Amino acid sequence: MARSRNSLLITAEETPLFSPDGRWIAARVSELPIRWARSDRIHIYPASGGQPRLMPRSHDAQPVFVAWNPDSRGILFSEARGTGTALYRANIEAATIEMMDHQDAVISSPFASNDGWYAFVKQTSDSPPEVFVRRQGLMESRQVSNANAEYAKIPTGRTEVIKWKSKDGKEIEGLLHYPNDYKAGTKVPLILNIHGGPAGVFQHSYVGGRGSYPLATFMAKGYAILRPNPRGSSGYGTEFRRANIRDWAGGDYEDLMTGVDHVIAMGVADPDRLGVMGWSYGGYMTSMIITKTNRFKAASAGAPVTNMMSFNGTADIPSFLPDYFEAEFWDDPAIYSKHSAMFNIKNARTPTLIQHGENDLRVPIAQGYELYNALKRQNVPVRMIVLPRQPHGIQEPQLQIATMQSNLDWFDKYLK
């Protein structure tokens, strides 16, 4: 892969896929210099050599190959589309792309056979992951596993896709999870949950899945949860994914705040019982939010980037921020300080829980310590939990449970 922040074309060929007749090789090629907010396009190379055929850019420019058609004339691929997953077919002779299916579900781990059958894992907000199979040319898929049947029996609250206008008029979409047995017109505590990335996306993943934030348990305890996809998220096209370049905690902050305002206006959220939580980039946004507003009664920041300058010199991805902010910090220190919680922490008053893996190389634990010490020295209620042996994501089941319980306890303390 060749890459340079100043170049106009970056090529990053990966996951090559040979056609059944052996004549063609399909590959994804990145056409953006920022590979963290990449834009991929399908190239079809003759196996015997020569210039590739370029397929049109797909909706989100992040195709995931599923399989070649058995006749070697087209390729099936999937990609995020909003809060769901879409299935497309690329016709290599006509150089066209058509959408075959779009589901409000998360589809992953596709596997194809040579006779036109393919399998995938599917989950929705209220149904756990299971394996499905489908034959090319048929719209119906069939469930073939029941590995999580017991989880499917657990009642969960309703999930709704909502949309709102941000401060600048940009339309933002997100998932609103209601408490179990929610009664219309009842105002309940709301937790704003922010995804990682920033080019992540919240989709219809099962609310009872494992992770740092036990969504189903929060819902069972009477909380509503808003999981927005602010500018910078995947699933909404390249322009939307690049809309936060040099502007973290700017326009995306407004996307989140107007989303909270929208849920309050719906009559669902109690404005006096608001919380915010997120991991990685979500932790970064949480740390910035508490420097911008005191409307939240509690915050939980997981593996947060809090000081862009020190992060840039210690993380295992030293090109990450220079790519997004189009400058090294020594060339533009003002923009790094403007978008770092540690340079804006003076007005923070929100009780904050910090959780960080001891062996995190992606966001070194010093980032969490900086936030903890700054809040503690200003007498802001703060607790830091160091997760022994853990990298950027929590891997040990016992520590996953401890992290989830700590989040429940923290928000119960300040929002109940």
Side-chain angles (χ1 to χ4, degrees), residues 66 86 116 142 165 201 246 256 301 369 384-385 398 416:
V66 176
R142 177 164 53 94
K165 291 294 182 67
V201 60
R246 291 179 63 85
L256 300 174
Y369 283 132
M384 182 166 178
I385 298 176
Q398 185 175 359
K416 288 294 186 73

Side-chain angles (χ1 to χ4, degrees), residues 42 53 59 95 106 112 179 183-184 196 204 213 218 223 240 262-263 284 288 293 331-332 344 364 368 370 376:
I42 298 175
R53 297 182 181 182
H59 166 73
V106 176
K183 295 180 180 179
H204 282 281
Y213 309 114
F218 274 122
Y223 292 91
F240 189 87
H262 181 69
V263 181
Y284 161 80
M288 287 296 292
T293 178
D331 292 323
D332 194 351
N344 301 278
E370 289 192 40
K376 187 175 179 64

